[in-house]
């Protein structure tokens, strides 16, 4: 079973925040204290939701949380922690939240309200969708919004009433912040070895 391949401390930390049903790991996404969707992870398939709900794992008081990790999927967050267990050791007040495939400003604002003292980390994929999500979170962090679209081989975005264009291969949070003048002070985490997600890295057994 895929869950058993995770490090012991990772399984113990996240066990209260998931359900295992007939070999499927289910991550409940809640909205107003109601489960509205589930992410599924099994040996041979995955399913990531598009939802207004949030999957949340936190074992510290909200005001004491110093680091908040945000991603597209609970599965990828857990695989990140499999490689970087220092974030789930005792007395390390972290929280982990998955927003689904299409994160919204409302989801992020809600998390910021719950965890007002936390530094923001992102664990989105290394592809274009993940890089755009990094930039959206950066703009939300300072109370703004940016709009993104793909035009030919370029990323076009609107921010602070200005239009910017940058080639897809050069697009990143760093470029976005330099061009827009935004300084959000968030930290991004990307897998190495040419993998787009930490889940892919975990599945191949390579960091």
């Amino acid at each position: 079973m895929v869950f058993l391949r995770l490090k012991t401390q990772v399984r113990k930390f996240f066990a209260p925040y998931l359900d295992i049903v007939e070999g499927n790991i289910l991550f409940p996404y809640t909205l107003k204290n109601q489960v509205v969707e589930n992410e599924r992870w099994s040996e041979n398939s995955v399913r990531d939701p598009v939802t207004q709900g949030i999957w949340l794992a936190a074992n510290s008081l909200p005001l004491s949380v110093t680091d908040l990790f945000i991603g597209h999927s609970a599965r990828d967050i857990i695989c990140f922690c499999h490689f970087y267990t220092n974030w789930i050791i005792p007395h390390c007040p972290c929280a982990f939240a998955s927003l689904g495939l299409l994160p919204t400003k409302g989801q992020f604002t809600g998390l910021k309200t719950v965890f007002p003292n936390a530094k923001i980390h992102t664990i989105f994929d290394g592809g274009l969708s993940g890089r755009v999500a990094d930039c959206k979170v950066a703009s939300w962090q300072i109370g703004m919004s940016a709009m993104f679209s793909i035009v030919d081989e370029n990323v076009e975005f609107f921010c602070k009433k200005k239009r910017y264009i940058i080639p897809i291969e050069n697009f990143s949070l760093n470029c976005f912040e330099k061009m827009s003048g935004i300084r959000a002070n968030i930290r991004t985490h990307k897998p190495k070895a040419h993998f787009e997600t930490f889940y892919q890295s975990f599945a191949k057994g390579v960091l």
Side-chain angles (χ1 to χ4, degrees):
M1 182 181 179
V2 65
F3 189 64
L4 298 178
R5 299 206 303 268
L6 294 163
K7 291 177 181 175
T8 301
Q9 60 266 48
V10 177
R11 298 199 305 268
K12 287 183 177 179
F13 183 93
F14 288 104
Y17 311 105
L18 57 85
D19 300 300
I20 300 178
V21 179
E22 297 180 348
N24 293 305
I25 305 174
L26 301 179
F27 303 97
Y29 286 65
T30 60
L31 180 64
K32 297 180 180 179
N33 297 317
Q34 298 290 324
V35 176
V36 294
E37 186 62 275
N38 280 286
E39 176 185 334
R40 187 183 71 245
W41 181 15
S42 67
E43 195 70 39
N44 300 312
S45 66
V46 297
R47 177 183 178 274
D48 298 327
V50 175
T51 177
Q52 294 296 310
I54 296 173
W55 173 82
L56 182 64
N59 62 359
S60 301
L61 293 174
L63 289 178
S64 70
V65 168
T66 57
D67 296 270
L68 172 61
F69 292 79
I70 298 172
H72 280 310
S73 75
R75 176 187 69 257
D76 215 40
I77 289 171
I78 288 177
C79 290
F80 166 80
C81 290
H82 174 82
F83 293 115
Y84 298 100
T85 55
N86 56 295
W87 292 109
I88 56 170
I89 60 176
H91 313 300
C92 183
C94 296
F96 303 88
S98 174
L99 310 184
L101 290 176
L102 297 176
T104 67
K105 186 176 183 178
Q107 289 172 309
F108 179 79
T109 301
L111 288 170
K112 285 288 291 181
T113 301
V114 174
F115 305 107
N117 301 317
K119 178 178 177 60
I120 303 299
H121 301 247
T122 63
I123 313 179
F124 296 116
D125 64 86
L128 182 58
S129 63
R131 286 178 280 156
V132 168
D134 290 332
C135 298
K136 286 184 175 181
V137 168
S139 68
W140 299 335
Q141 170 78 336
I142 63 169
M144 300 181 63
S145 293
M147 297 179 60
F148 299 83
S149 59
I150 304 300
V151 180
D152 298 323
E153 298 298 317
N154 300 302
V155 175
E156 180 180 273
F157 65 92
F158 291 85
C159 186
K160 296 181 180 180
K161 298 182 180 180
K162 293 183 179 180
R163 174 175 172 262
Y164 304 87
I165 297 178
I166 184 170
I168 290 175
E169 64 268 22
N170 296 333
F171 181 72
S172 66
L173 174 62
N174 184 51
C175 289
F176 170 75
E177 289 190 330
K178 285 182 177 179
M179 295 177 74
S180 66
I182 287 176
R183 294 295 181 268
N185 192 32
I186 68 172
R187 180 179 174 186
T188 62
H189 301 265
K190 303 295 182 186
K192 301 175 184 177
H194 309 294
F195 293 106
E196 282 204 358
T197 67
F198 286 100
Y199 163 66
Q200 291 175 351
S201 184
F202 170 75
K204 298 294 185 181
V206 178
L207 175 60

